[in-house]
Structures are given as structure tokens and as C-alpha cells.
Amino acid sequence: MRLEGRVALITGGASGIGLATVRKFVREGAKVMIADINLEQAEAAASEISREGYEGVVAAVRADVSVYAEVEAAVARAVEVFGKLDVIFNNAGIAGGRPLLEHDPAKDYEPIVNIDQNGVYYGMLAAGRQFRDQGTGGVIISTSSIYGEQAAELSFTYSAAKAAVISFTRSAAYELAEYGIRAVAITPGRVATPIINQFSDELKATFAAEQLRNKLTDPEEIANVVAFLASDEANAINGTVVSVDDGYSVFKQRLDLPVF
């Protein structure tokens, strides 16, 4: 088990990619603090995982990642319960958007920036300080997006926030290397999370067609990559972006080719 003895804090850990990663980390030997704004859902996930034979290795804490004090408190809670912190997965996020000129900044800009951008910054800051003070190094993994590297429909604010995550990751890796801290970002494509699963079958089929396997990526497939990045096997991966988009970024659309 490659994460044996590690302690991780996973934000947005009560559902989607976050929950899949909690389960993967536990199977790999880690102890995990689930941080989520929905404490009831986080506690239910922790209880269910505990009943599956992992009692004492998973716990839950409420955290609104748009509030630094709550992120800091989640880090402190992980240390209080499990004795230390080795990994943070800054995964909590929201989506949404409308055409730029129709924006209400209070609805279409501030919430997305506060959660998707500031929440990652707060996680890096709080966990980075904990790693430094422990003197044991650590790993910071943050969820960006394919949208963080390109323009797309109805994603003005979302794309900007996810691009910031990439920039944060590079700067954090540069500044924190002296403390033995690695920082990596991932860019998922179309993943079958609650955010996407709420849409119509027609729209989900369109999303699936944007990827090379012509299917939505399973959250567990993203979790597998995150677990690898958190392990010592990924020690040479630092300050970079790892694409987990099933080829979304390598092509535009499938075409019916003419007969030659």
C-alpha cells in the first residue's frame, strides 16, 4: 500500500472526485480527513467507509473553503485527530456560468473565484505552513481543469479560476521546495460527477464525445492518478500539470472522413 502511514486532507471529499479519492487513499493505507461544506454528507461517507473495514482511519470536518479560517481549522483538525498531515488535495469546487456581458458579479464571478481559486490558495497556505512546521515535507495536489488552459463557452470566470490554480501550483512548487514540499495540479476533462450527472442524457453524450474513449471519465480513474501523485513514486513530478482528460485537449471533434 503506497500511502501507508500518510495522513491526507481532502476538500470536497463528500462526493464526486473527492469521495472517490478518499476511498482510494484509505485502500492505499492512508488516514483521511474529509473536509466538506456539507458536514452531514461528509460524516455519512466517513461512517460508511468505517463500516467497510476501515474504522479509525477516516473522519469528517465541515469546511467552507472560501473562508481561510475554516480551511486552517480543517488542517488543525486533521492533525488533532491523526497526529500530522502529509497530503492535501484541494479539490472542492463549483461550476456555472453565463455570457460575460450578462454577468452579475455577485452571482457569476465572486462565488466561483472565492471557492475554486481562493479555496485552493487557502489550502496551499494552511497546509504549507503545517508541512513546514512539521519539518517532514508534504504534497499539495490541486484540481484545475481543462478549462484552465483554454477558452470555452460560458466559462469566463471558471476558466480564470482554474488557470489561477495552475499558476498557484507552479509558484508554490518553486517557493516550497526548500521545505520538501511538492505541488502538482491535475486537469480533469469530462468526469461523471454530480455536477455533470445532473444534465440531460443528450448533453452527457455530447460531453462524452469530446473525449477519446467516447465516454465520461469515472471519478475513480481520477482518484487513481491523485493517489499516485501523493506517493513517493511521483517524487519527480513537481510544479507541473498532469492532464487526466482522456484526450480532450488533443483534438477538437470527430469528423466523417471522405473516401480517398
Side-chain angles (χ1 to χ4, degrees):
M1 295 188 290
R2 58 183 149 189
L3 299 180
E4 185 73 36
R6 305 290 177 85
V7 174
L9 173 66
I10 297 177
T11 69
S15 63
I17 292 171
L19 180 56
T21 305
V22 172
R23 291 183 173 278
K24 177 65 176 177
F25 273 40
V26 167
R27 291 195 300 270
E28 290 283 357
K31 296 178 180 179
V32 181
M33 180 63 68
I34 301 173
D36 203 282
I37 195 168
N38 188 330
L39 179 58
E40 182 178 355
Q41 190 173 355
E43 290 179 331
S47 296
E48 181 178 351
I49 294 169
S50 295
R51 290 193 300 270
E52 293 170 355
Y54 298 102
E55 187 173 356
V57 301
V58 61
V61 63
R62 185 191 184 278
D64 178 350
V65 298
S66 71
V67 179
Y68 177 67
E70 295 197 20
V71 178
E72 190 177 39
V75 168
R77 181 60 177 162
V79 175
E80 178 185 0
V81 173
F82 297 123
K84 62 173 182 172
L85 186 68
D86 301 295
V87 180
I88 186 168
F89 181 29
N90 295 308
N91 172 71
I94 60 173
R98 69 178 66 240
L100 172 60
L101 299 185
E102 297 177 12
H103 271 205
D104 174 349
K107 296 179 180 178
D108 303 307
Y109 181 81
E110 292 169 10
I112 294 174
V113 168
N114 286 339
I115 295 172
D116 294 1
Q117 178 173 322
N118 294 350
V120 171
Y121 162 68
Y122 295 152
M124 288 180 168
L125 182 59
R129 286 173 170 167
Q130 178 63 34
F131 296 152
R132 177 201 60 192
D133 294 345
Q134 286 177 177
T136 56
V139 183
I140 298 169
I141 304 168
S142 304
T143 300
S144 178
S145 168
I146 49 175
Y147 283 169
E149 299 182 310
Q150 60 186 267
E153 67 285 347
L154 305 179
S155 67
F156 183 91
T157 306
Y158 184 78
S159 292
K162 292 301 185 178
V165 171
I166 294 172
S167 181
F168 287 167
T169 296
R170 292 170 177 154
S171 296
Y174 178 77
E175 289 201 28
L176 303 180
E178 65 178 292
Y179 302 108
I181 300 169
R182 287 193 295 116
V184 186
I186 60 169
T187 53
R190 305 298 195 183
V191 184
T193 64
I195 290 175
I196 284 185
N197 287 336
Q198 67 180 317
F199 297 130
S200 68
D201 289 343
E202 181 181 9
L203 183 54
K204 285 189 289 186
T206 298
F207 286 161
E210 294 178 307
Q211 303 193 148
L212 291 178
R213 291 180 297 173
N214 200 33
K215 65 183 290 290
L216 297 176
T217 302
D218 293 327
E220 291 75 16
E221 294 177 297
I222 308 298
N224 290 340
V225 176
V226 176
F228 163 68
L229 292 172
S231 75
D232 289 342
E233 295 173 358
N235 279 344
I237 302 177
N238 195 8
T240 57
V241 176
V242 177
S243 296
V244 282
D245 63 358
D246 189 18
Y248 177 100
S249 59
V250 306
F251 80 112
K252 295 297 184 183
Q253 63 184 17
R254 291 177 173 82
L255 300 175
D256 293 326
L257 295 177
V259 177
F260 289 97

